[in-house]
Amino acid sequence: LYVEMLEEAIREIRGQEIPQVEDTQVDLNLTAFIPADYIPDLDQKMSAYRAVASATTKQELSQIAADWSDRYGPTPVAALQLIRVVELKQVARKLGFARIKPEGNQNIILETPMEEPAWNLLKANLPDHLHSRFVYAPGKVIVRGLGVLNADQQLENLITWLGKMQGALPEIATV
């Protein structure tokens, strides 16, 4: 009996690891790109896309947006959406979510290889009123009711809610 209890405890501890995912795919119905009339020069536009793709923190993305505004004028909504989508991807990847996509008209699915004990650690950082919105199932977390909002609201809510979950992650030393 003791050995069985020990093995169960070990399995549970192992299940608390946040999985590593290479990238996060975001399939929300958003318009996220750099318009041709905002950065007309193709080389500059490609450089701008590379800068966004290589950013690893929210601060870097904020700096990119500020640089664009200084250099090219007020940033169009589509370009701001691009930056916000990349911000969502950064947070979701750190939390172990591989894909974010709508399911029907009601829900948003967060695909993940994580196990339920790891999910419970993340969920503990959400405000209590959101707990019933997030439903764990093997291979995914369902965000109930989020699909009824427009894509901009979906994006903002996901960034906010996943940001709260980051509190469950161990702090990573920065140099």
Side-chain angles (χ1 to χ4, degrees):
L1 181 63
Y2 173 75
V3 172
E4 288 176 18
M5 289 172 53
L6 187 60
E7 288 174 352
E8 182 179 333
I10 290 171
R11 279 194 304 274
E12 186 172 317
I13 290 170
R14 285 189 181 141
Q16 290 181 350
E17 295 175 2
I18 303 299
Q20 299 295 311
V21 294
E22 287 293 315
D23 193 22
T24 300
Q25 180 179 336
V26 177
D27 293 333
L28 300 176
N29 188 21
L30 293 163
T31 303
F33 69 100
I34 300 170
D37 60 349
Y38 185 59
I39 304 178
D41 182 79
L42 188 57
D43 290 334
Q44 290 179 7
K45 184 185 283 190
M46 292 308 294
S47 178
Y49 275 118
R50 280 192 291 276
V52 170
S54 66
T56 58
T57 65
K58 180 179 180 175
Q59 291 76 19
E60 288 178 31
L61 290 171
S62 295
Q63 185 59 52
I64 290 167
D67 291 347
W68 287 357
S69 184
D70 288 346
R71 187 168 185 181
Y72 305 108
T75 310
V77 172
L80 291 173
Q81 289 287 63
L82 174 66
I83 288 174
R84 297 297 281 164
V85 167
V86 173
E87 181 181 346
L88 175 61
K89 288 176 67 152
Q90 289 174 352
V91 175
R93 186 185 59 75
K94 289 176 189 169
L95 295 172
F97 296 113
R99 185 174 183 198
I100 299 171
K101 65 178 186 175
E103 181 185 66
N105 294 327
Q106 296 285 321
N107 304 323
I108 300 294
I109 299 296
L110 310 175
E111 293 180 358
T112 180
M114 85 176 59
E115 295 180 30
E116 191 166 10
W119 166 246
N120 289 334
L121 287 174
L122 296 180
K123 182 177 166 185
N125 283 279
L126 284 172
D128 290 342
H129 72 279
L130 291 175
H131 284 210
S132 63
R133 266 204 141 152
F134 289 80
V135 179
Y136 175 85
K140 65 184 176 183
V141 173
I142 303 161
V143 187
R144 299 182 329 168
L146 187 58
V148 300
L149 300 177
N150 69 45
D152 294 339
Q153 293 171 311
Q154 292 172 9
L155 178 65
E156 293 306 317
N157 282 333
L158 285 169
I159 289 170
T160 300
W161 296 342
L162 296 185
K164 291 183 185 305
M165 288 182 205
Q166 279 190 297
L169 299 179
E171 289 299 316
I172 299 169
T174 56
V175 178

